[in-house]
Amino acid sequence: EMTSSVSKGCFVFKPSAKKRRKTPTVEDYFTRGCEDTENSKLRFRNCQTLWEKMNADTETTISLNRKILDSLLAFIRKSVSTFQRGTDDWVSRMRAHEIPTAALVLGVNVPDHDMTFQCLSDQLQQSVTPFVVSVQATECAGQSSLNHMLQRVLERLMGTSVSVDNEEEPEQCSTNVNQKRVHCSLITLCNWYKTVTKVCSYCKEVRTIMMLLCTTVKCIDVDLTISASKLRAFVITNHLPLMFVFGIATSPSTIQHMLPHSVSSLLGIELFQSLSCTQHLASVIDKVILTSQFPFKPNGKVLQVLVSIFLYHDFSVRNFIKGLQLALLEHFHSQPLSVLCCKKEAALVHATELSHRDVERLQQLPSFMRYVEEQGPQEQVELLTSVDHVKEVCQKLLKDLCKYHKNYYTTLRCLHILTASLPKYPLGKQIRELHISCLEKNVWENDEYACAMQLLRMMAKDELTSALQKCAEILKSGKTKKMRAALLQLDNLLSKFDQPDLVENAAGEDLTSPGEGLQKKTDLFQLQKTLLEMKKSRRTKKMSQFEILRDQALEFIDSLVRSHLAPPESQPLYEVCYYSSSAVLRRHLNATPRTSIQTALSNPYHYLKVNYLRAEDGTVSNAAPDICIVYKLHLECGRLINLYDWLEAYATVVSAAEGKDPDSVDFGKVDELKHARFIQAVSELEFLGFIKSTKQKTDHVSRLTWGGC
């Protein structure tokens, strides 16, 4: 008998190294979708280099203020020395029974708290003690047991994973450390600490201190969300040389409110106040925006979006920097000519290497077109036909743009020094407000600028000369010829102010009271005539020497402002350095969930990208999700919606999607499945806040949104 067999097998073919899929890099993501792929890699490198420099300058400003950090470290070192040496006097002995506690008030800039405490933790580990534990309030909040708090402490001290068995008693919860079964308790913590300090020679020197950092993540009166019962175990069981650093978002009295007296009385609390988030923001803007060191600049609308998100949403300097990074990335990704947005020397080199397509883009820039219109006929022909001539002019314009930035920021600081202390701050209290005003339009055309000039004319001699001397110090940092010439002119004016014979009132000036002639009764015509005569005499009176010098100084400031504080749109090639797509930035950073929900419900194809959901003229496909159909139908109703009529309309649309004749549908017997789907869709719509139940009519719901929403 013939038999046959078939062998079956599974064979593995390993792909060759050449065919393996390459993991895309950050540069690949950047170059993908760029308008001009020729210089996309160069733009990416410029973007990366520029951001690294900007980020390096901002890292020091968003961490703990150096002065606050130094004072906090000094307090901790002093407490360490108290633990280590013997206590002889009565005060020291009493303090020895207290746990040193630093209360660090950070403000409500919640997203920056983690970074702040990470910086502090690193400093403590490097200079004070290796036993530093940072515990988040969310990790120990609520009804979690003490073991969960101990779990976090033990994990971060021992460097191992700690498991907590909720079914066991607190003293019976165990963990596996170095393959040994140990109890997850305070006794375990004490025994481990004693063992480590005996074995490690370095730990013997610092064995008298152990840190527990409790950071805040909320900005209401429950900042210290670690409950009193959990913290009491650490405080009362004082077998370890503990020290606490509490992060507080609102008020230092939170500690007394959240902890009972039996616990708070054992804490020796010292308060440390960090800089406000607005001061941190001012430092960041001063370092990365109000400087000519970095060529990239956000325009007025973009900067206003970033500042508005900071002031009205999160108070986070870190998020502000992330938004600035996004603007930088969008600028280099969307603007092919951003290859020129770099240091002046590199930009001049890149200008000579522009391709023919880049030269065409340069000629199409609105600012360059305005520049061409201002030139003579022969020059216009050269700028529109000669590529080499355009490159030469481009280098000249880039140099002028660099000089413009140097003169602009120097003049901006001078104007801010003069106006920041004026009553009601007509040009803004912060320099960023003045900067945004200057970016939007000619600042000297604002009514606020005229008001500021009027107030400056009312300043006393000492105040005015002090402000002008500060302006002179600022002008000294200016490295352009125009700033040096302005400094010489200002020094000349200041020398005249210092003359000893300068008096504020001219000799022989009429010092009679302005209302002296108005004391007697008179009619309206006579009063008007007297006021006109007083006004005329005031105009023609002789000015004092101080008033003459004051007007000269203000004319000098005004000429400086008009010469150097013109908006960047007035400069050719400003598009190379300025990012102006505020709508794109707002869409990425400022979330609008209601708009997104309405878009998804009215046009599901926008997100799902399924062809059968594509619809025109604002309609919704009958094959759309149930909630989209119900939402579209509810837009056709009034203030009160009849649920039965709504169900009939829904059944008609769904039946048409199933291929049935809507006229043949028996609305008295709607399919149970359709009925359940309708009820679920209405419930989801109510959950989203578009409708609500009402008692005005039976089987009706009330509509909550209007205007096509």
Side-chain angles (χ1 to χ4, degrees):
E1 183 180 6
M2 296 292 293
T3 59
S4 62
S5 63
V6 178
S7 298
K8 296 181 179 179
C10 181
F11 303 94
V12 178
F13 296 92
K14 294 183 179 181
S16 60
K18 296 182 179 179
K19 295 182 179 180
R20 288 180 182 174
R21 192 171 184 178
K22 183 182 177 181
T23 304
T25 61
V26 178
E27 184 177 352
D28 296 332
Y29 283 111
F30 180 87
T31 55
R32 188 182 305 165
C34 279
E35 183 180 348
D36 186 6
T37 57
E38 297 178 2
N39 58 8
S40 58
K41 293 184 178 180
L42 179 58
R43 284 151 53 194
F44 173 75
R45 289 195 297 270
N46 289 345
C47 177
Q48 201 171 29
T49 302
L50 183 58
W51 174 245
E52 288 174 356
K53 294 178 180 178
M54 295 174 68
N55 192 44
D57 280 5
T58 58
E59 282 298 328
T60 55
T61 61
I62 59 177
S63 61
L64 265 178
N65 179 261
R66 176 57 54 186
K67 185 177 180 180
I68 299 297
L69 181 60
D70 292 341
S71 59
L72 184 58
L73 290 176
F75 168 73
I76 294 172
R77 292 191 183 97
K78 181 180 178 181
S79 302
V80 171
S81 62
T82 303
F83 280 128
Q84 290 176 340
R85 68 173 183 267
T87 55
D88 298 330
D89 57 302
W90 181 82
V91 176
S92 299
R93 287 198 301 270
M94 292 301 296
R95 294 287 294 179
H97 293 287
E98 296 180 348
I99 297 180
T101 302
L104 181 59
V105 182
L106 295 172
V108 294
N109 50 335
V110 176
D112 295 339
H113 287 174
D114 294 342
M115 180 197 59
T116 299
F117 267 88
Q118 184 61 44
C119 175
L120 177 60
S121 179
D122 295 340
Q123 290 285 337
L124 292 174
Q125 288 179 339
Q126 294 173 7
S127 60
V128 180
T129 174
F131 305 134
V132 180
V133 179
S134 181
V135 181
Q136 296 288 340
T138 50
E139 297 173 339
C140 308
Q143 300 298 323
S144 60
S145 64
L146 174 63
N147 283 331
H148 287 87
M149 184 174 180
L150 279 174
Q151 180 188 14
R152 301 292 182 267
V153 175
L154 290 172
E155 282 179 348
R156 288 158 193 176
L157 283 176
M158 299 179 182
T160 60
S161 60
V162 177
S163 61
V164 176
D165 190 356
N166 294 327
E167 296 179 357
E168 296 180 354
E169 295 298 327
E171 293 295 332
Q172 300 299 325
C173 292
S174 61
T175 182
N176 190 344
V177 182
N178 297 329
Q179 277 123 30
K180 290 183 180 181
R181 192 82 168 169
V182 297
H183 294 294
C184 182
S185 64
L186 287 172
I187 298 175
T188 303
L189 182 61
C190 295
N191 293 336
W192 172 84
Y193 180 71
K194 293 177 182 178
T195 303
V196 171
T197 52
K198 287 180 181 178
V199 174
C200 179
S201 59
Y202 171 72
C203 295
K204 291 180 181 179
E205 301 176 1
V206 292
R207 64 181 182 273
T208 54
I209 185 67
M210 182 176 177
M211 303 302 301
L212 179 65
L213 304 179
C214 306
T215 62
T216 61
V217 293
K218 297 185 179 180
C219 56
I220 54 178
D221 286 338
V222 290
D223 294 336
L224 202 61
T225 50
I226 297 178
S227 66
S229 60
K230 302 167 193 174
L231 192 59
R232 185 183 309 179
F234 281 93
V235 174
I236 297 178
T237 310
N238 196 4
H239 301 297
L240 295 172
L242 291 174
M243 182 173 180
F244 295 101
V245 177
F246 290 134
I248 302 175
T250 52
S251 172
S253 60
T254 304
I255 299 178
Q256 280 77 17
H257 293 162
M258 298 300 298
L259 299 178
H261 178 71
S262 59
V263 177
S264 60
S265 61
L266 298 177
L267 300 177
I269 301 175
E270 186 161 338
L271 183 65
F272 296 89
Q273 180 73 48
S274 177
L275 288 178
S276 65
C277 53
T278 53
Q279 290 174 307
H280 282 300
L281 177 67
S283 300
V284 171
I285 292 178
D286 184 72
K287 282 183 175 292
V288 299
I289 296 179
L290 302 181
T291 176
S292 59
Q293 181 182 358
F294 303 114
F296 170 75
K297 307 293 177 187
N299 77 339
K301 293 183 179 179
V302 171
L303 185 57
Q304 186 64 58
V305 168
L306 294 175
V307 173
S308 298
I309 292 174
F310 172 86
L311 294 176
Y312 301 116
H313 287 79
D314 53 17
F315 291 106
S316 174
V317 179
R318 193 170 188 83
N319 288 350
F320 177 87
I321 295 173
K322 289 296 182 182
L324 188 63
Q325 183 183 10
L326 177 61
L328 175 72
L329 189 64
E330 285 285 342
H331 176 67
F332 277 90
H333 184 267
S334 59
Q335 174 59 268
L337 293 175
S338 61
V339 68
L340 302 175
C341 184
C342 52
K343 287 289 186 180
K344 184 176 72 172
E345 295 77 11
L348 296 179
V349 174
H350 295 328
T352 60
E353 299 172 352
L354 290 175
S355 63
H356 185 72
R357 182 73 183 100
D358 290 335
V359 172
E360 291 180 354
R361 292 192 181 98
L362 191 69
Q363 293 172 331
Q364 294 171 2
L365 291 178
S367 61
F368 189 82
M369 294 174 66
R370 288 196 299 268
Y371 173 78
V372 173
E373 292 174 357
E374 296 172 356
Q375 307 304 312
Q378 184 64 29
E379 181 68 14
Q380 289 183 2
V381 174
E382 290 289 331
L383 290 173
L384 296 176
T385 57
S386 175
V387 174
D388 294 335
H389 186 66
V390 171
K391 292 180 179 180
E392 293 177 2
V393 173
C394 177
Q395 296 180 62
K396 173 184 175 297
L397 295 179
L398 288 174
K399 293 178 182 178
D400 294 341
L401 189 61
C402 292
K403 293 178 182 178
Y404 163 78
H405 284 145
K406 292 179 181 179
N407 296 332
Y408 175 89
Y409 294 117
T410 304
T411 307
L412 181 74
R413 295 180 191 279
C414 290
L415 183 60
H416 175 68
I417 285 293
L418 289 167
T419 60
S421 59
L422 293 177
K424 297 184 179 180
Y425 311 106
L427 292 180
K429 186 177 181 179
Q430 303 288 339
I431 192 172
R432 65 169 183 268
E433 302 172 50
L434 177 59
H435 177 54
I436 292 174
S437 300
C438 295
L439 290 178
E440 291 176 348
K441 65 175 185 178
N442 295 331
V443 67
W444 57 87
E445 296 177 355
N446 295 338
D447 294 337
E448 294 80 4
Y449 179 81
C451 178
M453 290 293 108
Q454 289 291 337
L455 292 173
L456 286 175
R457 286 187 172 87
M458 300 178 185
M459 292 181 69
K461 174 189 172 184
D462 295 339
E463 295 177 349
L464 183 60
T465 53
S466 176
L468 291 176
Q469 286 172 356
K470 293 179 181 178
C471 291
E473 293 296 327
I474 295 173
L475 290 174
K476 288 179 181 178
S477 61
K479 299 179 180 179
T480 62
K481 294 181 179 179
K482 293 183 178 180
M483 291 297 102
R484 287 195 288 269
L487 177 60
L488 292 175
Q489 188 175 353
L490 183 57
D491 287 339
N492 186 27
L493 285 172
L494 287 173
S495 63
K496 294 180 180 179
F497 274 104
D498 294 335
Q499 292 177 0
D501 57 342
L502 180 65
V503 291
E504 295 197 11
N505 292 314
E509 183 180 0
D510 186 11
L511 299 177
T512 58
S513 174
E516 185 178 346
L518 303 177
Q519 300 298 328
K520 58 183 179 179
K521 291 184 178 181
T522 182
D523 56 7
L524 183 61
F525 176 76
Q526 188 65 30
L527 176 63
Q528 186 177 9
K529 181 179 178 181
T530 305
L531 290 175
L532 289 174
E533 291 176 353
M534 291 172 60
K535 185 176 180 181
K536 185 177 180 180
S537 63
R538 194 180 300 116
R539 287 179 179 175
T540 57
K541 74 174 183 178
K542 183 179 179 181
M543 296 180 63
S544 66
Q545 189 177 358
F546 167 73
E547 291 174 338
I548 296 173
L549 289 177
R550 180 196 60 196
D551 290 348
Q552 290 178 358
L554 295 182
E555 288 175 2
F556 163 75
I557 295 297
D558 185 65
S559 63
L560 202 64
V561 168
R562 293 174 183 269
S563 301
H564 305 299
L565 284 189
E569 285 79 2
S570 62
Q571 304 299 313
L573 304 187
Y574 81 94
E575 296 94 341
V576 170
C577 298
Y578 283 83
Y579 178 70
S580 57
S581 301
S582 58
V584 175
L585 201 65
R586 188 185 296 276
R587 185 169 66 250
H588 284 298
L589 297 178
N590 197 6
T592 52
R594 174 62 68 180
T595 304
S596 302
I597 291 173
Q598 291 169 357
T599 303
L601 294 178
S602 60
N603 183 19
Y605 175 79
H606 181 79
Y607 292 106
L608 299 179
K609 301 299 181 184
V610 182
N611 289 329
Y612 65 81
L613 294 178
R614 190 189 294 271
E616 298 178 357
D617 301 330
T619 60
V620 175
S621 171
N622 52 15
D626 293 335
I627 188 174
C628 298
I629 298 174
V630 171
Y631 171 79
K632 193 65 178 179
L633 292 173
H634 110 285
L635 294 179
E636 302 172 1
C637 302
R639 185 174 62 86
L640 295 178
I641 306 175
N642 189 310
L643 287 173
Y644 183 75
D645 295 340
W646 202 3
L647 173 61
E648 286 185 344
Y650 168 77
T652 302
V653 175
V654 173
S655 298
E658 295 174 351
K660 298 180 182 180
D661 185 7
D663 297 332
S664 64
V665 178
D666 186 2
F667 295 108
K669 298 180 180 179
V670 178
D671 182 61
E672 293 183 359
L673 180 59
K674 290 189 179 70
H675 196 181
R677 288 166 54 187
F678 172 76
I679 293 175
Q680 182 179 1
V682 171
S683 301
E684 292 172 350
L685 211 61
E686 182 178 5
F687 177 76
L688 292 175
F690 290 97
I691 60 173
K692 71 173 183 178
S693 57
T694 179
K695 295 182 180 179
Q696 295 183 12
K697 283 189 177 182
T698 307
D699 299 332
H700 280 69
V701 293
S702 176
R703 182 178 171 184
L704 299 178
T705 58
W706 302 93
C709 299

